[in-house]
Amino acid sequence: MKFYFKLAATNLKADRRLFVPFVMTTSFLMAINLIMLNAYTSSDVLFSQFGAAAGRSLCMFGSVTTAIISVILVIYANNFLRKQRIRQLGLYNIIGFGKGELSKMMAIEKLLLLLTTLLLGGLLGTVLSRISYLTLAKALHVNHHLEFGLSQQAFSIAGIITISLFIILMFIDEIWLIRKQPIDMVREQSAGEREPKVAWLTLIISVGCLIAGYTLAVVITNPLEAMSMFFFAVVFVIAGTYGLFTSGSVFILKWLRNRQNYYYKPKHFINVSNLLYRMQQNGAGLASIAILVTMTLITLATTATLFFGINEIVDQQTPVDLSYSVKANHQAAASRVTELAKIHHVRVRSIRTFTGPSSTMALLKKDRLNSQNTMSGPFGFDNARSVQLMTIDSYNQYTGEHRALTGNNILIYTSNHYAGKTLKIGGQTYHVAIRAANFANAPKTFIPNLFVAFPSETQMLDALHHLYPNKSSAELKSSVTTNQDVMLSGSHANQVKLYQDLNKSGIALPDTVQSRAVNYDDTASMMSSFLFLGIVFSATFILATLLILYYKQLAEGYADERCYTILQRVGLSLREVRATINSQLLMLFYLPLVIAAIHVGFALPFVQRIMMLFGLPDWQFFLTVSLITLAIFAVIYVLMYRLTGNVYYHIVSRRQPSSRR
């Protein structure tokens, strides 16, 4: 066994140009898993005050997702590593190493790589965990001992994941060894590829999938329906992208080859020929890059928009600083709240009182208002309304106006234009006598508001009974409460203390007190965790992109090294070699970025509709953040292009004979 350890160590040292990138990849993946697991195991501390359950769920989702991505990337890296060593392993087999001996040698190599990964990944994960923790804890305003990054449970799970990954790789290598013959190993690396044919069926299906995915993104305007159809749109686009790169690229390259004025030029001739004979493998890699870039851009743009749009979300969810429903025996609730505010050094600027039932969801079809129970499944965005019923006296009390209604006349306010002159509720038809231009402190959500004021309480209860057909008259009458909306001046911390004391005072009905300050903390907690996950996911996606690009350039470089040597011997200058390489790299690198930009262009309206569910209907703000994200990522992508492009160029030019310049 000592011999195998010595041989494995010698192989790792001799082929360090292959093994070092592999160890860097596995170490970084372990660090990413450790970050997510530390966040998950520390979620009770991070989210102890606000959104503990949601934060824990998000971190769990992130941990599972990064583990799945790790499996895919490690298998990809191992396949490249094994392909570059096929000839070496075949020679070992020919000189007397049986498959059992090769299996032991490769297993010990994996064991040494695993130990190195556990060491480097653990150190890197600890450092990055602390950095990520400090960032997240600062955003969440968490004050406690800094123990994040040292969770024994997180280390154990991350170690188990890493060990499991290497066990999977050993199992894959073992199956590969069983299926291969020695002579196949020697010949496989140098075997050429046949010219691929255009798979017309695949091309047609892939174009159809892209059209279907883009159509869903453009046609669906209902945020609820967009949420439910998002997964299907993603599947369509992914399938279409892979088909387009594998089959569509072959079609385009053959079309370029048939254009003599374009094809018979040195750099075009070499590029088209190289890509055409290797496009099936290239196509899958380029499609993976395009999809990963798309995922990175969407993830960063979405999470960053949610984080930087916290104030807008809070303003729409809680338009007043403090609101509550008053108990029946607390007629002097306003003065009591004012006294509590003075105790906590908060000034009450205004108090508005409103008496009526809670708002409800209803369906407005033409001029008829129906209960949402009349429609199965998600209601449409166009006809859904958030309905608030009231009497005209309650309206006047809240707004300070002096309106009057008689008979079947009603006053309405709607955030979405309603041109009807009548409104039918149940069997009663009401005449729209007054249209209010605005309503103070009306919540702004993706579902339009519809406020209706009636001349009497009896008419209001009759309309309410139609919207709640399963409730008795007594239940409906008891649902009418007195509510107060308060605008405050004072520090954030003092308003939170006022909210806590008001809950304990017994002035308000249980679970009816809402505070803008508390809602801000809850929202900041949630959006910070979203941003944290977005950064971790994006880092993983960028790593995956860089990994595919890097290994792809290594594979292309080793495959093209002999080709460029021959071309220079027959007269191709070094300048022409460089121009040819740059042209090929530009095509391979920027094509996925262009396709990803197109995907993102169609996805942004779709994602923005989903984000309306979080309270962010501002399209311009989302578009601005998305464009900034695209610009930043483009810079990162160019850096990756330079890095991997230099790797390719050094490989294909390092053994070139002296040539004319």
Side-chain angles (χ1 to χ4, degrees):
M1 189 60 67
K2 183 179 179 181
F3 167 75
Y4 291 109
F5 271 98
K6 185 176 180 180
L7 181 60
T10 302
N11 290 339
L12 295 180
K13 182 178 180 180
D15 286 331
R16 56 184 176 273
R17 62 186 176 85
L18 299 176
F19 287 107
V20 169
F22 181 83
V23 171
M24 292 175 60
T25 300
T26 55
S27 299
F28 194 83
L29 287 174
M30 180 180 175
I32 292 292
N33 280 288
L34 191 54
I35 292 173
M36 291 306 308
L37 290 167
N38 270 315
Y40 174 70
T41 55
S42 304
S43 58
D44 292 339
V45 178
L46 288 172
F47 305 98
S48 57
Q49 291 182 321
F50 313 108
R56 190 173 182 83
S57 298
L58 286 171
C59 291
M60 169 61 81
F61 172 76
S63 300
V64 174
T65 304
T66 51
I68 294 173
I69 293 176
S70 298
V71 174
I72 298 172
L73 294 183
V74 167
I75 292 176
Y76 181 91
N78 187 65
N79 289 342
F80 167 81
L81 185 65
R82 189 178 59 245
K83 183 177 180 180
Q84 298 306 312
R85 302 183 65 208
I86 286 178
R87 188 178 183 85
Q88 178 192 32
L89 296 174
L91 291 174
Y92 273 129
N93 202 187
I94 290 175
I95 64 176
F97 274 62
K99 291 187 177 181
E101 286 76 12
L102 282 178
S103 177
K104 290 180 183 178
M105 182 189 73
M106 294 176 69
I108 292 175
E109 288 175 351
K110 288 292 189 295
L111 177 61
L112 295 176
L113 293 173
L114 171 61
L115 295 176
T116 306
T117 296
L118 291 174
L119 176 61
L120 296 179
L123 292 174
L124 182 62
T126 300
V127 174
L128 294 180
S129 290
R130 282 191 169 276
I131 294 174
S132 63
Y133 163 75
L134 292 173
T135 303
L136 184 59
K138 182 179 177 63
L140 298 179
H141 308 289
V142 177
N143 297 313
H144 57 80
H145 299 293
L146 304 182
E147 299 176 352
F148 188 81
L150 301 176
S151 169
Q152 183 177 355
Q153 182 183 2
F155 270 100
S156 300
I157 299 175
I160 291 173
I161 292 174
T162 305
I163 294 172
S164 300
L165 290 175
F166 276 84
I167 291 175
I168 293 173
L169 297 184
M170 291 179 187
F171 181 72
I172 293 174
D173 288 344
E174 186 67 26
I175 294 177
W176 178 82
L177 275 174
I178 293 173
R179 297 176 57 186
K180 288 293 180 182
Q181 296 299 323
I183 193 65
D184 294 334
M185 297 182 190
V186 176
R187 292 176 176 176
E188 185 172 333
Q189 190 175 34
S190 58
E193 297 192 24
R194 297 179 180 179
E195 179 180 333
K197 297 180 180 180
V198 179
W200 289 104
L201 180 60
T202 302
L203 179 59
I204 294 172
I205 293 176
S206 62
V207 172
C209 287
L210 283 177
I211 293 175
Y214 290 162
T215 301
L216 288 176
V218 172
V219 172
I220 296 177
T221 58
N222 183 349
L224 295 173
E225 189 177 356
M227 175 71 82
S228 62
M229 296 300 294
F230 181 75
F231 173 78
F232 297 99
V234 170
V235 171
F236 278 132
V237 171
I238 290 177
T241 302
Y242 273 100
L244 188 66
F245 271 99
T246 54
S247 300
S249 57
V250 173
F251 169 78
I252 293 175
L253 288 171
K254 287 193 172 185
W255 177 75
L256 291 175
R257 189 176 63 179
N258 293 330
R259 295 183 60 199
Q260 297 183 1
N261 293 335
Y262 175 88
Y263 182 65
Y264 289 105
K265 293 181 180 179
K267 64 178 181 179
H268 295 161
F269 175 83
I270 298 172
N271 286 342
V272 173
S273 299
N274 279 343
L275 293 176
L276 181 59
Y277 280 87
R278 218 181 287 137
M279 205 58 214
Q280 287 183 331
Q281 179 182 351
N282 272 329
L286 294 176
S288 299
I289 294 170
I291 292 169
L292 287 169
V293 171
T294 304
M295 294 170 68
T296 302
L297 293 173
I298 293 296
T299 301
L300 278 177
T302 302
T303 54
T305 301
L306 289 174
F307 180 78
F308 292 111
I310 290 175
N311 288 325
E312 182 180 352
I313 295 173
V314 173
D315 288 342
Q316 293 183 7
Q317 292 177 345
T318 49
V320 296
D321 295 322
L322 186 67
S323 64
Y324 51 88
S325 297
V326 181
K327 286 187 175 180
N329 57 346
H330 279 277
Q331 301 299 324
S335 59
R336 288 285 308 278
V337 170
T338 303
E339 293 173 1
L340 283 176
K342 289 181 179 179
I343 294 174
H344 294 289
H345 307 288
V346 176
R347 184 173 68 88
V348 175
R349 291 186 294 156
S350 66
I351 297 181
R352 293 175 182 265
T353 302
F354 171 81
T355 301
S358 301
S359 61
T360 182
M361 202 66 63
L363 300 172
L364 181 63
K365 293 186 177 181
K366 295 183 179 180
D367 62 345
R368 179 173 290 279
L369 191 65
N370 295 319
S371 168
Q372 61 174 318
N373 296 331
T374 60
M375 183 176 179
S376 59
F379 42 77
F381 174 68
D382 294 331
N383 59 9
R385 295 293 183 272
S386 177
V387 178
Q388 176 67 66
L389 304 182
M390 67 194 78
T391 63
I392 191 63
D393 292 336
S394 179
Y395 173 86
N396 290 334
Q397 181 185 25
Y398 189 86
T399 62
E401 299 179 13
H402 301 282
R403 302 279 190 169
L405 294 172
T406 58
N408 287 332
N409 293 325
I410 58 173
L411 176 149
I412 69 167
Y413 162 77
T414 177
S415 56
N416 192 19
H417 181 66
Y418 176 69
K421 296 181 179 180
T422 60
L423 183 64
K424 297 177 181 179
I425 307 177
Q428 187 66 49
T429 300
Y430 298 93
H431 175 69
V432 180
I434 304 174
R435 298 177 187 272
N438 56 65
F439 195 96
N441 303 324
K444 300 176 182 178
T445 63
F446 71 94
I447 298 178
N449 295 309
L450 176 61
F451 293 179
V452 184
F454 298 88
S456 66
E457 184 178 13
T458 301
Q459 291 170 305
M460 180 191 71
L461 291 175
D462 287 342
L464 189 63
H465 179 69
H466 175 70
L467 300 180
Y468 290 99
N470 297 326
K471 290 188 177 182
S472 64
S473 298
E475 289 176 321
L476 294 176
K477 194 167 185 178
S478 63
S479 67
V480 177
T481 58
T482 299
N483 309 282
Q484 292 183 334
D485 293 342
V486 186
M487 300 301 292
L488 303 170
S489 293
S491 68
H492 179 92
N494 288 340
Q495 291 190 35
V496 172
K497 293 178 181 178
L498 173 60
Y499 163 82
Q500 295 170 345
D501 272 6
L502 181 58
N503 267 320
K504 300 175 183 177
S505 66
I507 300 173
L509 292 172
D511 301 323
T512 64
V513 183
Q514 294 185 353
S515 166
R516 184 202 296 266
V518 173
N519 187 34
Y520 180 89
D521 290 336
D522 289 342
T523 305
S525 172
M526 178 65 69
M527 300 312 163
S528 297
S529 61
F530 270 128
L531 182 62
F532 176 75
L533 284 179
I535 293 174
V536 173
F537 285 170
S538 299
T540 307
F541 296 151
I542 291 174
L543 171 67
T545 304
L546 181 60
L547 173 66
I548 294 174
L549 290 173
Y550 182 78
Y551 282 133
K552 186 176 180 304
Q553 293 309 325
L554 284 177
E556 297 289 327
Y558 295 138
D560 293 344
E561 183 178 10
R562 185 168 176 269
C563 172
Y564 278 103
T565 300
I566 295 173
L567 288 173
Q568 287 202 58
R569 286 174 177 171
V570 299
L572 196 69
S573 68
L574 188 61
R575 180 181 301 175
E576 290 171 329
V577 170
R578 186 183 295 273
T580 301
I581 293 173
N582 288 336
S583 176
Q584 179 173 321
L585 291 179
L586 284 173
M587 182 184 299
L588 291 176
F589 275 79
Y590 287 106
L591 182 60
L593 186 62
V594 171
I595 297 298
I598 295 173
H599 288 347
V600 171
F602 279 95
L604 286 183
F606 201 53
V607 175
Q608 192 268 341
R609 293 174 193 124
I610 297 175
M611 292 178 66
M612 292 175 68
L613 298 174
F614 293 91
L616 265 178
D618 191 343
W619 165 252
Q620 293 182 344
F621 180 69
F622 179 50
L623 181 60
T624 301
V625 175
S626 300
L627 292 176
I628 294 174
T629 303
L630 179 61
I632 294 174
F633 184 80
V635 174
I636 297 174
Y637 195 81
V638 169
L639 294 177
M640 291 192 293
Y641 157 70
R642 294 292 183 186
L643 174 64
T644 58
N646 289 334
V647 170
Y648 178 87
Y649 180 77
H650 288 316
I651 292 175
V652 300
S653 62
R654 61 185 175 182
R655 296 180 181 175
Q656 305 301 343
S658 59
S659 60
R660 56 188 175 85
R661 298 182 181 274

